Amino acid sequence: MSGFKKTLLFVSLSSLLAACNDSNESNSSAENITPVPFNPVEATIADVHRSITTKGANCVSIVQSYLDRIEAYDKKGPTLNSIIAVSPTALQEAKALDDYYLKTGQLKGDLHCVTVLPKDNIDAVDMANTAGSKALTDNFPLDDAYMIKNIKAHGGIILGKANLDEFAFGFGGSSSNPNGGQTKNVYDLSKGPGGSSAGTGAAINASLALIGIGTDTGGSIRIPSAVQGLVGLRPSLRLVSQDGIIPLAPTQDTAGPMCRKAIDCAILMNSLTGYDAATSSNQRNDFDRLSPLVSSAAQYKTMYSVPESYVPAATESLQGKRIGIVKAMYAQPNSSGVMTEDGTLVNQAMEQAIAKLTAAGATVEVVEINDLSKIFSTYSSLSSYEFKTALTVYLQSTQSIFKSYADLQQSGLMIATFNNYDRDPTAQTFIDGYALNTTTRAPHVRGSLNSALDNTDAAGEFKGLSYDALAYPTMTALASDLGKGPSAGTNNRLSPFSGFPALSMPAASVTSTRSTYPMNVNIEFIAREFDEPTLFKIAVAFEQVNPARQVPVHTPAL
């Protein structure tokens, strides 16, 4: 046994003995509580806290259980390659939380001893922020990103950094990079994990950490959530500070939770939000990218309708909820009129989800989104317009030896794909395209979505009662073969093009001739700007009547 492992074992046993001694000294009522052991497989935040408060486990043993799973499944066995780095301080932080609990009898916060795995494009001290690139292996941040500070303040433990497509370049990528290798789909190791938050998705699906954080420019939280059977939220633009996140397109970027249970994503959301005075927060007082930043916590909370908590009531149900189904966003036949097997299975899963929603008391009606085909064909992502400049701004605030996009390009350490992003901002095609996608796009898409949600016609007249959310399949196909980008379709664009929040969650598992294992299909709900609370209410209630998530067979309990 290595010296490192001996040290971990000593710390774990010492802490467990301390917990036992404390238990012996507790009063008689505490002695009557039955200890609840901790099992990391499919564990929830409530499970962690139940084990700690009943003295069935302490934080050191809980964190060690996840480290053991990483060792067994990420670098050995199925070799998921979902994690680029493990925190060197995770067990020390766990011991500090154990000491805090033994001293005060209280949990530090709603994330006490919750292992969190952020994507490796988010700053966290003591670990390099590499964005999956060989060029940034020495990019150690000076401080934590705003959201990481919040998570630690709430008692969370940053367990490590998750793998991704290099520089988060495109959810359609192969989810492989020179720094972290090829991430695999935990359900079927021969299938792709979805990108670009591939590592977060695979790790959370495999229970290598309790909850995760992804980033989403086009679909990079929701696509891996869809193929890995997770709940993933792309929050409203501006709501979550972008401080300490390596940018792809700041006008379109955001970060959000990825979890096995909707309630855990809601709890994590409490730590991801909050006013940040940093100039890189992107928390502006208007949707226009050039508008000034919000000036105070009070303005932030009022303008963005931030609740005291995103966690729904335990009694939340679907009774009375109104959902508009966008059937135009279902999988469609090809130009020859032929529907693929993937498309058929996705559409069948959606119909099963609608039946469950309706049976639980929700009203589900078919709706149309004005100019939907035009929206998808006219506009594009901003990454090729903003990445070059935004990355340079980030690098100038770090310890990286490279200080600009040009430096990285000249190093030869970036993948060749990024040469396509070395665009001339003075070219007329660049100017026209950027104006179209920053000035014209948002008002058009936001107007169409609000009209559909409000259930109004082109003249603004109400056609009926408004909807709480719209719904459609996250992807119009199933997971691709490993090494190929998923055939995701265009549905993922609605949220980033509008800035409205979208939540993706399991709808059903399907049987495909392309896999010997069940394959997951996710339904996506999109709501009005800053109406994340409604999305969490729908998701938590829908999970209760439709427990569609499947536990992967390749990563069982140790």
Side-chain angles (χ1 to χ4, degrees):
M1 181 181 293
S2 69
F4 176 68
K5 289 187 176 179
K6 286 180 180 177
T7 301
L8 298 188
L9 181 61
F10 176 77
V11 173
S12 178
L13 291 174
S14 297
S15 300
L16 284 170
L17 288 171
C20 291
N21 291 335
D22 181 76
S23 178
N24 292 333
E25 296 170 2
S26 59
N27 58 41
S28 58
S29 61
E31 289 174 351
N32 292 329
I33 297 174
T34 302
V36 179
F38 180 73
N39 177 5
V41 178
E42 298 293 300
T44 65
I45 292 174
D47 291 333
V48 168
H49 294 166
R50 188 177 298 112
S51 289
I52 290 175
T53 55
T54 63
K55 301 189 187 303
N58 65 6
C59 191
V60 167
S61 65
I62 288 171
V63 171
Q64 187 64 57
S65 71
Y66 284 109
L67 295 176
D68 291 342
R69 290 183 62 78
I70 291 171
E71 178 68 19
Y73 294 129
D74 202 61
K75 306 309 176 189
K76 298 178 182 177
T79 57
L80 299 176
N81 286 327
S82 66
I83 296 175
I84 286 182
V86 173
S87 169
T89 62
L91 285 166
Q92 296 173 29
E93 294 169 30
K95 179 62 168 60
L97 287 171
D98 281 334
D99 291 345
Y100 179 93
Y101 182 69
L102 290 172
K103 181 179 180 180
T104 67
Q106 302 291 323
L107 301 178
K108 186 177 180 181
D110 57 5
L111 293 179
H112 184 99
C113 196
V114 172
T115 52
V116 184
L117 191 68
K119 189 175 180 177
D120 193 26
N121 60 348
I122 303 173
D123 284 350
V125 295
D126 297 320
M127 287 176 283
N129 194 10
T130 75
S133 177
K134 288 290 187 183
L136 296 184
T137 53
D138 293 323
N139 180 37
F140 287 87
L142 297 171
D143 59 2
D144 289 323
Y146 178 80
M147 66 181 64
I148 301 299
K149 294 175 187 174
N150 280 358
I151 288 168
K152 291 179 177 180
H154 286 212
I157 293 177
I158 305 303
L159 190 63
K161 303 291 289 294
N163 205 359
L164 68 161
D165 290 275
E166 187 178 23
F167 286 101
F169 177 60
F171 67 85
S174 64
S175 304
S176 176
N177 67 68
N179 201 30
Q182 173 69 65
T183 303
K184 299 174 185 176
N185 187 314
V186 189
Y187 286 133
D188 183 339
L189 303 176
S190 71
K191 296 292 180 282
S196 64
S197 305
T200 308
I204 302 307
N205 189 15
S207 296
L208 305 188
L210 204 151
I211 51 180
I213 305 171
T215 60
D216 191 312
T217 301
S220 295
I221 286 173
R222 294 158 292 145
I223 299 302
S225 293
V227 300
Q228 298 281 356
L230 301 178
V231 179
L233 173 74
R234 177 190 162 94
S236 303
L237 277 175
R238 302 182 287 154
L239 181 61
V240 175
S241 171
Q242 296 306 291
D243 168 64
I245 302 177
I246 296 176
L248 185 56
T251 306
Q252 208 171 292
D253 292 343
T254 190
M258 298 171 68
C259 316
R260 293 182 296 274
K261 291 290 186 182
I263 191 72
D264 288 344
C265 277
I267 295 170
L268 177 56
M269 194 65 184
N270 289 336
S271 291
L272 299 186
T273 55
Y275 169 67
D276 182 11
T279 57
S280 57
S281 72
N282 200 36
Q283 294 176 338
R284 303 187 181 279
N285 61 22
D286 188 83
F287 195 77
D288 190 307
R289 66 184 180 85
L290 298 178
S291 62
L293 295 169
V294 169
S295 60
S296 68
Q299 185 186 14
Y300 167 88
K301 187 170 184 178
T302 300
M303 182 171 289
Y304 299 165
S305 303
V306 181
E308 290 301 317
S309 174
Y310 285 95
V311 181
T315 56
E316 194 60 54
S317 78
L318 288 166
Q319 191 69 40
K321 295 291 190 298
R322 290 180 52 79
I323 310 295
I325 294 292
V326 190
K327 289 215 168 181
M329 295 173 69
Y330 276 31
Q332 304 296 323
N334 62 24
S335 57
S336 300
V338 177
M339 178 69 80
T340 65
E341 180 193 41
D342 276 19
T344 298
L345 292 171
V346 167
N347 291 352
Q348 289 174 352
M350 285 296 297
E351 293 305 311
Q352 291 175 36
I354 290 171
K356 292 289 183 68
L357 288 165
T358 303
T363 298
V364 181
E365 298 174 346
V366 176
V367 302
E368 294 182 357
I369 297 175
N370 297 333
D371 291 335
L372 183 63
S373 60
K374 182 179 178 181
I375 287 169
F376 289 156
S377 63
T378 302
Y379 305 118
S380 63
S381 175
L382 289 167
S383 53
S384 67
Y385 294 95
E386 295 187 340
F387 176 68
K388 178 179 176 179
T389 301
L391 182 61
T392 296
V393 172
Y394 170 83
L395 290 172
Q396 291 175 353
S397 69
T398 72
Q399 299 186 82
S400 170
I401 61 172
F402 303 109
K403 294 302 178 185
S404 69
Y405 174 93
D407 287 348
L408 285 176
Q409 196 177 39
Q410 291 168 11
S411 74
L413 296 173
M414 290 174 70
I415 57 176
T417 308
F418 282 96
N419 292 330
N420 299 328
Y421 279 27
D422 190 17
R423 301 180 62 182
D424 178 7
T426 65
Q428 194 61 47
T429 54
F430 183 102
I431 293 170
D432 292 344
Y434 194 47
L436 175 70
N437 289 289
T438 54
T439 304
T440 307
R441 187 184 76 183
H444 183 187
V445 182
R446 290 158 71 87
S448 293
L449 282 178
N450 276 326
S451 179
L453 285 161
D454 293 342
N455 202 10
T456 59
D457 60 22
E461 297 294 326
F462 288 100
K463 297 185 290 184
L465 297 176
S466 62
Y467 299 103
D468 295 294
L470 308 179
Y472 45 85
T474 298
M475 294 171 56
T476 52
L478 305 177
S480 64
D481 292 336
L482 192 64
K484 297 180 180 179
S487 301
T490 55
N491 294 354
N492 54 284
R493 299 179 184 179
L494 273 188
S495 179
F497 284 6
S498 64
F500 289 10
L503 184 146
S504 176
M505 66 182 298
S509 288
V510 298
T511 301
S512 167
T513 59
R514 295 200 298 109
S515 177
T516 56
Y517 305 95
M519 299 183 79
N520 187 72
V521 175
N522 265 24
I523 184 172
E524 184 162 314
F525 298 96
I526 191 167
R528 293 168 178 82
E529 188 175 33
F530 306 127
D531 198 12
E532 282 82 358
T534 291
L535 291 179
F536 283 125
K537 289 176 182 177
I538 292 171
V540 168
F542 187 45
E543 257 181 1
Q544 294 173 7
V545 299
N546 186 47
R549 173 172 161 75
Q550 296 293 311
V551 182
V553 300
H554 297 293
T555 53
L558 295 176

